[in-house]
Amino acid sequence: MPSPSLPPLVDQHCHGVVRGDLTDAAFEAWLTESDATAAPGTSFFDTQLGFAVRRWCPPLLDLEPHAPPRRYLDRRRELGAAEATRRLLGATGIGAYVVDTGLPGDLTTPQELAAAGGGVPCHEIVRLESLTEGLADRADGTAAFLDALDGAVADAARTAVGFKSLAAYRHGLDLPPERPRPAEVRVAADRWLVTRSPGERLTDPVLLRHLLWSAAGTGLPLQIHTGFGDPDLRLRRSDPLLLTDFVRAVRPTGCTVVLLHCYPYHRGAAYLAAVFPHVYADVGLALTHTGARAGAVLAEMLELTPFGKLLFSTDAYGLAELYVVGAELFRRGLVRLVTEWVREGAWPAGDAERVAALIAAGNARRVYGLETADGHPATTG
């Protein structure tokens, strides 16, 4: 059979990119989840991600594949950040962005990202912890803070397509699953507001649970970070299986739970998506960082994840190159797997392209209520 063709991708979790030109060291820092420079005598370009950037990005800037890092970075600065970003984003084949706007720094807004990507639609995901911390910096007492928080979540639900939680970073996913009682929330909020310094991050487990349940109550999808990230994370406490009781408890709200990233616990995430109808799994970040092995990770996700429950994202942050690499590795990995399974007789040829299109875009359009390219509401495919 011919290889399946994919529709424009829906990047269901991503971030802005830096606006200005970058030094060599600053660029390389975006190629890792580490908060430190590479070990003496080594480079973050010597990773699966670094090699993937060198394979797929240089031709978009008029260089040969696998151009040396110094040549690539010099060429990037010759073009300027804006032109390089425009070229890179325009080549990804992404037809819609779902952007987490809660990260600090001089990053492009969703509107700027959409424009650089060729005018594709851009939708917002609200980061719960960032929303709460901003309100706490302006709080005038506990009661006013909690009222403002309830109002802010409700207001965000009117314009955003979903929420995101960083509970894995701030405490760990081993939280009690039940909704905290109002009295517990008041005590926790009072304690946090009294002891915190301006700008201090939210780590209180009661308030983190309150945010999860507040978001679930809006009926919008709730993205939860699971799996690997920077050293601020305790990886063993980010296993999505720790959410099993919460997933079960939150089901009556009708909230869709989207497990982000998942690696190296992606098989556990696939299990949760398989047994709970309101749980979906995402392959973002994992494919980017596994590079030449991305197809193997994607295949492992597809061992158990129902085909209507797997979502594409890049989790790109800072560099437009991460959009290119994430989209390229996903697209090539999925097409290769589907073609192979049809050739072996394991998959029916008539369904292969339909399923590939669901994973690439259709599932995300359905989960977030996005219109299709022809302006019609998304369906199950």
Side-chain angles (χ1 to χ4, degrees):
M1 63 162 282
S3 296
S5 60
L6 299 182
L9 307 178
V10 174
D11 191 343
Q12 72 98 35
H13 185 76
C14 56
H15 310 273
V17 299
V18 292
R19 292 189 176 93
D21 291 322
L22 295 169
T23 65
D24 291 5
F27 183 96
E28 191 169 331
W30 291 103
L31 298 180
T32 177
E33 289 293 317
S34 176
D35 59 359
T37 58
T42 72
S43 167
F44 288 125
F45 269 105
D46 284 341
T47 60
Q48 289 281 15
L49 173 54
F51 274 25
V53 167
R54 290 177 56 197
R55 167 61 184 91
W56 300 111
C57 298
L60 303 176
L61 306 188
D62 307 320
L63 299 174
E64 71 283 359
H66 304 296
R70 176 60 59 83
R71 177 71 187 103
Y72 179 77
L73 295 175
D74 286 346
R75 175 57 177 163
R76 199 181 195 275
R77 284 188 288 269
E78 288 172 9
L79 292 169
E83 174 63 12
T85 294
R86 185 191 66 79
R87 290 190 182 198
L88 292 163
L89 291 182
T92 62
I94 293 172
Y97 301 105
V98 181
V99 185
D100 171 5
T101 56
L103 285 169
D106 186 24
L107 303 174
T108 53
T109 65
Q111 294 74 25
E112 291 170 326
L113 187 70
V120 301
C122 205
H123 310 275
E124 184 182 14
I125 292 289
V126 172
R127 186 178 289 214
L128 291 165
E129 291 80 9
S130 298
L131 179 69
T132 307
E133 289 152 5
L135 293 171
D137 287 339
R138 307 185 297 273
D140 183 20
T142 301
F145 164 71
L146 291 174
D147 286 344
L149 180 57
D150 288 345
V153 170
D155 287 344
R158 295 187 182 98
T159 56
V161 297
F163 292 94
K164 178 189 176 181
S165 171
L166 283 172
Y169 274 94
R170 303 305 180 80
H171 175 274
L173 299 179
D174 47 346
L175 291 162
E178 65 275 1
R179 183 196 295 266
R181 297 187 303 273
E184 291 181 89
V185 175
R186 286 193 297 272
V187 170
D190 188 57
R191 180 175 59 242
W192 183 55
L193 292 173
V194 168
T195 60
R196 77 185 293 272
S197 303
E200 184 178 326
R201 300 188 314 169
L202 173 62
T203 60
D204 184 275
V206 174
L207 294 180
L208 291 171
R209 288 162 55 208
H210 177 62
L211 291 179
L212 291 173
W213 281 96
S214 296
T218 70
L220 291 182
L222 172 60
Q223 299 180 346
I224 302 180
H225 179 105
T226 69
F228 81 113
D230 64 43
D232 201 27
L233 186 75
R234 298 297 180 268
L235 186 60
R236 65 183 176 81
R237 300 181 73 182
S238 70
D239 187 335
L241 291 177
L242 294 171
L243 290 168
T244 302
D245 289 339
F246 170 77
V247 162
R248 185 178 289 112
V250 83
R251 182 176 174 182
T253 69
C255 172
T256 296
V257 177
V258 181
L259 304 174
L260 298 176
H261 317 323
C262 306
Y263 187 86
Y265 305 117
H266 48 292
R267 281 172 159 150
Y271 159 76
L272 292 175
V275 299
F276 291 105
H278 59 303
V279 175
Y280 288 68
D282 162 77
V283 295
L285 188 62
L287 302 189
T288 303
H289 281 270
T290 52
R293 288 284 295 169
V297 175
L298 182 57
E300 289 171 351
M301 286 291 290
L302 284 166
E303 289 170 355
L304 202 56
T305 312
F307 305 142
K309 307 287 287 299
L310 187 61
L311 304 171
F312 161 75
S313 79
T314 62
D315 193 38
Y317 171 36
L319 298 180
E321 282 83 353
L322 302 183
Y323 280 98
V324 174
V325 168
E328 197 67 45
L329 293 174
F330 167 78
R331 186 183 294 109
R332 288 177 175 269
L334 182 61
V335 168
R336 186 179 301 117
L337 289 171
V338 169
T339 302
E340 176 185 342
W341 292 336
V342 170
R343 184 182 303 118
E344 292 174 347
W347 275 32
D351 289 321
E353 187 157 335
R354 176 182 62 84
V355 168
L358 285 176
I359 298 169
N363 292 336
R365 291 192 180 280
R366 184 177 71 254
V367 167
Y368 298 102
L370 310 182
E371 291 182 341
T372 59
D374 59 7
H376 293 103
T379 66
T380 56

